[in-house]
Amino acid sequence: MAIKRTSKKKKPASKKKKILYFFFRLAIYFIAFSIAWVLIYRFINPPVTWLMIQRNLENSEVPEKVIKRKWINYEDISTNLKLAVVASEDARFMQHSGFDAKAINQAFQRNRSGNSIRGGSTISQQTAKNVFLWPHRSWLRKGFETWFTILIEALWGKERILEVYLNIIEMGPGIYGAESATQFYYGKPAVSLTKRQAALLAAILPNPRVWSPNRPTRFINRKTNTILRYMPYSKIPE
């Protein structure tokens, strides 16, 4: 008597596996998209940032809201400004690979001791955040910031990072980038900045909507003098 063979039916994939597969595909798409995005901005200048959009929305009731911004190439930015910004914002810019462990640890110790909250972000991290991400702090944004920092360090290099940073950084109400700031505050091109003018611009970066290089407070003057002392020791891409 012949034995009838019964074919085993395949069990449908579990719901958990489907969810995991969905997130796996989502991660692959995100990685591919983010790499392509960073590569595009290696050769094409970012047209706008999230911060510019947010500031414009905040001033939506102002009838003459204008974003002052003019992109200039790395070689057209004053060496004085490059040195001043590195001295002020990221002294080990040329040594680290996107993250300054020493600065992060110092910021952690300072914040834990109850002093005013202070970050340890490098110029690379700030550039990644400003170009690709939204301004508000969160652990999710910090995770994305880490990923984009790794990408721009690998795919852009230090010169492009500093060039982009100095062209998109907020330097006053509605003022973005070295050229617009220099024209607004000093009435001349960014390549012509003196050492003190560059140090004053670097000194206001933490809060450019409150501080002004044309009306420096006692604190800004002290900070400017400190930046001037450290500028000769700063290293920048040649």
Side-chain angles (χ1 to χ4, degrees):
M1 184 176 176
I3 299 174
K4 189 176 181 181
R5 294 182 179 179
T6 56
S7 59
K8 292 183 180 180
K9 292 183 178 180
K10 292 183 178 179
K11 293 182 179 180
S14 66
K15 188 176 181 180
K16 185 177 180 180
K17 286 183 178 179
K18 286 183 178 179
I19 293 172
L20 288 174
Y21 182 62
F22 169 78
F23 281 107
F24 175 75
R25 289 183 63 184
L26 192 65
I28 295 298
Y29 291 148
F30 169 74
I31 290 170
F33 172 77
S34 59
I35 291 174
W37 195 5
V38 171
L39 278 173
I40 288 171
Y41 281 174
R42 171 68 179 84
F43 304 101
I44 298 175
N45 300 326
V48 71
T49 67
W50 285 101
L51 182 64
M52 294 176 192
I53 295 170
Q54 177 181 306
R55 294 286 190 249
N56 224 31
L57 292 174
E58 289 172 354
N59 299 323
S60 59
E61 296 180 2
V62 180
E64 295 182 359
K65 53 182 180 179
V66 178
I67 292 178
K68 298 180 182 67
R69 182 189 177 206
K70 182 181 179 182
W71 193 284
I72 54 176
N73 295 327
Y74 183 80
E75 57 271 17
D76 296 324
I77 302 171
S78 167
T79 299
N80 289 329
L81 183 60
K82 297 169 191 172
L83 292 170
V85 167
V86 170
S88 175
E89 298 289 297
D90 188 359
R92 287 176 284 275
F93 176 63
M94 294 299 292
Q95 283 75 51
H96 63 66
S97 299
F99 308 94
D100 188 340
K102 186 175 180 180
I104 293 171
N105 183 60
Q106 288 173 347
F108 174 76
Q109 296 299 333
R110 179 182 175 87
N111 298 339
R112 192 174 65 170
S113 66
N115 292 316
S116 58
I117 299 300
R118 184 177 179 181
S121 295
T122 63
I123 286 175
S124 302
Q125 288 174 273
Q126 292 180 56
T127 304
K129 176 196 71 177
N130 290 338
V131 173
F132 300 102
L133 304 169
W134 59 96
H136 299 294
R137 291 182 178 183
S138 68
W139 286 111
L140 177 63
R141 197 213 69 187
K142 202 66 180 176
F144 284 135
E145 179 187 304
T146 301
W147 169 244
F148 279 106
T149 299
I150 293 169
L151 286 184
I152 65 174
E153 280 281 343
L155 301 176
W156 286 8
K158 295 293 187 182
E159 181 176 315
R160 179 61 173 171
I161 290 171
L162 190 56
E163 177 187 0
V164 173
Y165 178 80
L166 289 173
N167 273 289
I168 64 169
I169 191 69
E170 187 177 29
M171 289 186 163
I175 303 167
Y176 300 90
E179 183 67 13
S180 295
T182 308
Q183 292 285 359
F184 180 80
Y185 292 118
Y186 302 122
K188 62 181 182 179
V191 73
S192 303
L193 281 170
T194 66
K195 289 181 179 180
R196 182 159 189 86
Q197 288 170 341
L200 279 165
L201 281 175
I204 70 165
L205 288 183
N207 201 347
R209 293 196 296 167
V210 173
W211 295 324
S212 168
N214 288 340
R215 299 182 303 277
T217 63
R218 190 175 298 177
F219 168 75
I220 292 299
N221 275 322
R222 286 200 306 268
K223 187 175 180 183
T224 298
N225 291 333
T226 301
I227 292 170
L228 285 167
R229 285 199 302 272
Y230 283 100
M231 280 172 61
Y233 307 102
S234 299
K235 302 295 182 184
I236 59 172
E238 298 295 338

